[in-house]
Amino acid sequence: MAEPPIIVVGAGQAGLQIVDSLRRGGYSGRLMLIGDEKSLPYQRPPLSKQYMSENMSDDRLLFRPADYYEKKGVELILGEQVSAIDTQARTVVIDGQTCEYAKLAITTGASVRHIPVPGAELEGVCYLRSVEDAQYIRTQLSSGPQRVAAIGGGFIGLEIAASARELGHSVTVIEAQDRLMARVVAPLVSEYFGDLHRSHGVEVLLDAAVSGIERADDDSLIVDLTDGRRISADLIVVGIGSIPHSALAEAAGLTCNNGIVVDEFAQTSDPNVVAAGDCTMHKNARLNVSHRLESVQNAVDQAKIAAATLLGEPKPYEQVPWFWSDQFDAKLQMVGSSVGFDRTVLRGSIADGEFSVFYFNDGVLIGVDSVNRPSDHVTSRKLIANRTAVSDDVLTDIEQNLKTLL
Amino acid sequence: MPKVIYIDVDGERHETDVANGLSVMEGAIANGVTGILAICGGSCACSTCHGYIDEAWIELVGPPNEIEESTLELASERRAGSRLTCQIAMRDELDGLVVHVADNDG
């Protein structure tokens, strides 16, 4: 009988990275990668950006060419769900078939949060997570001028808004809070992006809570707000966050708490199971926090940690998180976290659209948001990782290179 | 269609057609060139598509712009000819371009 494989459940960014790192790390045993989507594993970040605005072809999204999997000896199973995990017997059930594993990696990602209002199921109301979702939106946008309503002023909503606006559609962003991207950036940055979108002709509504969605007499859609305003739209894209895909792990008895709980080695509560990416509530050894992140950086870096654990060469996860978002001509880059900040310092000029906001907690630099200042972002990654002391004098003087602080 | 010759981190040579307009990074990904990761998908945000332009081609390819220059600071072992391959669009005059892939998986 063949040796049981390492099975990776979830063929997104984290799953692909685990497979890749295992092979690069010298693992030559059986390796199985299972994805519930039919497409070969692909990148999601372009879906709200270039895929929309530049009509990018699907094959340009693929992480690896089709023959990569065979060359690397990866048994790739696509379009199938894993319906159960038995950590005692070390088996998973794939499409009704029970398969034994030597080790298991769970990289099931997250799924969109659905909006709990009447009318949410109407045709023309959609979400963006998969390439199929993106294809649907792109098809709608190519069928003539549309009125697009983006519910949620976070990354997805704003990136879609920018892409649709660049294609010439009329766009309204509907945000329930009093500022955009409130969960991740400072008020200053929210304000800048609100102005940026407005200057490109996007209507940005704040403090706008949705109470329902209706079909209008002319067959278009109407978004009803709690304050009585009604927004007409042909297409509604909802981007109000995501929820971790941890039900499978939870049913298997693995400890979960807003995601699959893992330690700094990507180890779950079962010694034969690791997990990585959007689906994990994980510990960062450097930052000494436990959090769940939805990002490419986390998926890749944590997957490398998970692979190292599987290879028996554990190393702790201590990468400082970073994120990016492209909207119109603004490149927003974020590093660290602004959660718990008690002071901010501004570098550069908001009016010129080139600035960075530095967040401090108790005198320690914890996060930096940069707009069109990639050099600040790059240097800040090192400043935060090294916990370098930084003085306001250097930060506020753009003539001084931040690198002198390193 | 112009050709690009990639020498990957294991020393393996990949000679492949890359359509005009696609980036040198995309050509590498589509052909399974080991070492080009491009985890940001070509947004000039990560540096994991770092490669060294072969000396004979440096001038024709040209220098990085300011954004790329900054992002290159994150890259592994910078040398003359260091470029983020996502920022080089293929064009006819680059037919035969030789790129040595950096170790982006360190």
Side-chain angles (χ1 to χ4, degrees), chain A residues 135-385:
Chain A
Q135 281 160 353
Y136 173 79
I137 295 171
R138 201 163 75 170
T139 304
Q140 298 303 306
L141 294 182
S142 63
S143 68
Q146 304 276 309
R147 293 165 298 171
V148 180
I151 299 180
F155 292 142
I156 291 287
L158 293 174
E159 287 173 6
I160 284 284
S163 297
R165 188 69 201 118
E166 281 174 335
L167 291 168
H169 302 287
S170 67
V171 181
T172 306
V173 172
I174 302 168
E175 168 56 47
Q177 299 201 50
D178 60 0
R179 62 190 184 90
L180 300 172
M181 300 182 284
R183 201 162 54 91
V184 278
V185 299
L188 215 58
V189 181
S190 299
E191 211 172 294
Y192 172 79
F193 276 91
D195 291 343
L196 176 75
H197 278 261
R198 288 188 191 98
S199 74
H200 281 87
V202 174
E203 187 171 8
V204 179
L205 306 178
L206 301 174
D207 293 313
V210 174
S211 58
I213 298 168
E214 305 170 49
R215 177 75 63 200
D217 294 339
D218 67 356
D219 221 30
S220 66
L221 295 159
I222 296 169
V223 182
D224 291 311
L225 304 185
T226 51
D227 61 11
R229 280 182 287 180
R230 290 157 65 82
I231 317 300
S232 294
D234 303 301
L235 179 68
I236 298 173
V237 185
V238 183
I240 54 169
S242 67
I243 42 181
H245 253 312
S246 53
L248 187 66
E250 207 162 350
L254 298 174
T255 305
C256 293
N257 173 22
N258 180 27
I260 303 166
V261 175
V262 297
D263 65 13
E264 65 266 49
F265 301 102
Q267 187 77 63
T268 68
S269 55
D270 182 283
N272 296 306
V273 185
V274 295
D278 289 10
C279 65
T280 66
M281 171 63 84
H282 63 270
K283 190 164 179 215
N284 186 304
R286 187 187 301 267
L287 306 176
N288 199 25
V289 291
S290 281
H291 52 192
R292 190 172 78 79
L293 296 173
E294 293 158 11
S295 74
V296 165
Q297 171 273 324
N298 177 58
V300 170
D301 286 336
Q302 204 189 11
K304 289 181 181 175
I305 298 299
T309 297
L310 293 173
L311 290 165
E313 302 155 2
K315 49 184 184 183
Y317 186 33
E318 49 188 18
Q319 280 76 9
V320 178
W322 55 266
F323 315 83
W324 82 94
S325 177
D326 296 323
Q327 299 168 35
F328 297 109
D329 51 1
K331 187 173 200 63
L332 171 62
Q333 295 175 284
M334 297 144 278
V335 54
S337 162
S338 55
V339 172
F341 75 91
D342 54 26
R343 197 169 75 87
T344 63
V345 175
L346 174 67
R347 174 179 172 84
S349 156
I350 297 177
D352 293 344
E354 292 183 9
F355 64 96
S356 295
V357 182
F358 293 75
Y359 303 87
F360 291 86
N361 174 275
D362 207 11
V364 177
L365 181 65
I366 54 170
V368 181
D369 296 338
S370 300
V371 176
N372 295 330
R373 285 195 65 88
S375 63
D376 286 356
H377 172 76
V378 165
T379 309
S380 297
R381 285 203 209 173
K382 296 170 190 169
L383 294 174
I384 293 175

Side-chain angles (χ1 to χ4, degrees), chain A residues 62-202:
Chain A
L62 301 182
F63 287 123
R64 297 287 186 277
D67 63 1
Y68 164 87
Y69 302 93
E70 205 189 321
K71 277 188 188 163
K72 296 285 179 184
V74 178
E75 299 165 49
L76 182 64
I77 299 174
L78 297 173
E80 299 288 356
Q81 297 263 1
V82 170
S83 54
I85 297 168
D86 183 336
T87 56
Q88 293 301 308
R90 291 201 215 171
T91 57
V92 297
V93 179
I94 311 161
D95 187 30
Q97 295 234 353
T98 302
C99 295
E100 206 182 328
Y101 63 78
K103 298 277 182 183
L104 183 69
I106 305 177
T107 51
T108 42
S111 51
V112 296
R113 185 184 296 280
H114 288 260
I115 187 166
V117 298
E121 72 297 339
L122 288 171
E123 199 188 329
V125 180
C126 61
Y127 297 83
L128 178 56
R129 178 82 193 171
S130 69
V131 66
E132 285 175 18
D133 297 335
Q135 281 160 353
Y136 173 79
I137 295 171
R138 201 163 75 170
T139 304
Q140 298 303 306
L141 294 182
S142 63
S143 68
Q146 304 276 309
R147 293 165 298 171
V148 180
I151 299 180
F155 292 142
I156 291 287
L158 293 174
E159 287 173 6
I160 284 284
S163 297
R165 188 69 201 118
E166 281 174 335
L167 291 168
H169 302 287
S170 67
V171 181
T172 306
V173 172
I174 302 168
E175 168 56 47
Q177 299 201 50
D178 60 0
R179 62 190 184 90
L180 300 172
M181 300 182 284
R183 201 162 54 91
V184 278
V185 299
L188 215 58
V189 181
S190 299
E191 211 172 294
Y192 172 79
F193 276 91
D195 291 343
L196 176 75
H197 278 261
R198 288 188 191 98
S199 74
H200 281 87
V202 174

